[in-house]
Amino acid sequence: KEVHYFSLHADRPTQWYADHYRSASRDQRCGDITPYYLFHPDAPERIHALLPKAYLIVLLRDPVERALSQYFHSVRLGLENLPLEQALAAEPARLLTGDPRHVQEHSYVSRGRYLDQLDRYLRLFPQEQLLVLQSESFFADPTETWRTIERFVGLTPAPCPATKPKFNAGHGEAAAVTDAIRTDLRQQLSATAHGVRQRYGF
C-alpha cells in the first residue's frame, strides 16, 4: 500500500519496486494500492511502460466527500493552514505553480474530476483492463465487491478478506461544513458526477 513508485519514486530502479513483491509466489496476484496514481499526470504512462498488461482497479468516492476528507486530512498532518473556503479558492492558483507539494496535497476539487483522470488511462489501456468501483458500495457490501474483483483479475473464488476500517473516514470534521460550501462543491463537480453515473452506473 502507498508504494508510490509510479508517482513519487519513479527515479528509483525497477528492482526497488520489484523488491516489494519478493516474498510473493508465482501463483499469487500482487497489487499496488496507491490512490495518487489516479491523479498524478505521469503515472499512466509510467505504469503502461513497465506493466502494459496490468489490471487497473479504481475505487471512486463521492467527489464532494472526498474533497472535504482530503482537506481535513491535510490540516491534521500540518500540510494546510488555510481555512476551508480559502483553501478551496486558492487551489487553482496553487496548482498552476506546478509545485509537486500543491499537486499532491492541495488538489481538493481537481482530484474529484474523475473522468479526466480515467480518460488518461483509457488512452493507454484497453477498457477490459480497467475496473471502476464505487467506494460506498464497497463498504456497504464488501463481499459483492470482492466477487467482482475476483472475476476481473481471474482469481479462484475464495472467502472475502476481512475489511479494514475506513482510513479516509476522518474524525467527523466534515459534519460541520456549511451547506453553502457543500452546494458550491456539488455545482463544481456536478458534470463529473453525472458523467461517472452515465458511464459506470453509479
Side-chain angles (χ1 to χ4, degrees):
K1 184 171 169 58
E2 302 279 2
V3 178
H4 280 288
Y5 177 65
F6 299 104
S7 51
L8 306 181
H9 304 308
D11 58 330
R12 300 195 180 196
T14 304
Q15 189 59 47
W16 177 87
Y17 185 57
D19 284 346
H20 285 79
Y21 306 98
R22 60 182 176 272
S23 64
S25 63
R26 289 186 174 275
D27 62 346
Q28 288 182 301
R29 296 291 178 95
C30 300
D32 174 348
I33 304 172
T34 305
Y36 191 35
Y37 290 163
L38 182 62
F39 187 67
H40 194 284
D42 299 321
E45 290 187 2
R46 291 171 178 172
I47 295 171
H48 187 265
L50 184 64
L51 302 168
K53 296 183 179 180
Y55 291 101
L56 308 169
I57 301 173
V58 181
L59 195 62
L60 299 183
R61 185 181 183 184
D62 177 293
V64 172
E65 298 306 319
R66 199 222 63 79
L68 296 174
S69 175
Q70 183 187 354
Y71 169 77
F72 289 112
H73 181 69
S74 291
V75 169
R76 287 194 301 273
L77 293 180
L79 302 170
E80 178 61 84
N81 55 18
L82 293 178
L84 176 58
E85 286 187 274
Q86 292 182 30
L88 295 174
E91 178 179 336
R94 281 171 156 179
L95 296 186
L96 280 175
T97 68
D99 184 331
R101 183 177 64 91
H102 290 322
V103 174
Q104 183 177 7
E105 304 297 346
H106 303 140
S107 46
Y108 310 117
V109 178
S110 300
R111 285 212 207 186
R113 296 192 171 100
Y114 298 132
L115 291 182
D116 293 341
Q117 299 162 63
L118 292 169
D119 285 344
R120 286 205 298 264
Y121 280 89
L122 289 173
R123 283 194 287 270
L124 298 169
F125 294 90
Q127 179 71 60
E128 57 267 25
Q129 285 178 228
L130 177 67
L131 175 65
V132 180
L133 301 169
Q134 185 180 30
S135 179
E136 291 81 2
S137 295
F138 167 67
F139 287 110
D141 189 353
T143 298
E144 180 57 32
T145 301
W146 174 246
R147 297 292 173 235
T148 299
I149 293 172
E150 283 182 325
R151 293 190 293 269
F152 177 64
V153 299
L155 290 173
T156 301
C160 177
T163 57
K164 295 182 178 181
K166 288 190 276 186
F167 292 107
N168 58 5
H171 298 159
E173 306 99 327
V177 173
T178 65
D179 289 343
I181 292 177
R182 286 180 179 276
T183 298
D184 181 61
L185 287 171
R186 289 264 172 238
Q187 290 174 346
Q188 291 188 59
L189 295 166
S190 62
T192 196
H194 177 73
V196 168
R197 283 195 298 271
Q198 290 287 100
R199 187 186 295 182
Y200 299 105
F202 57 78

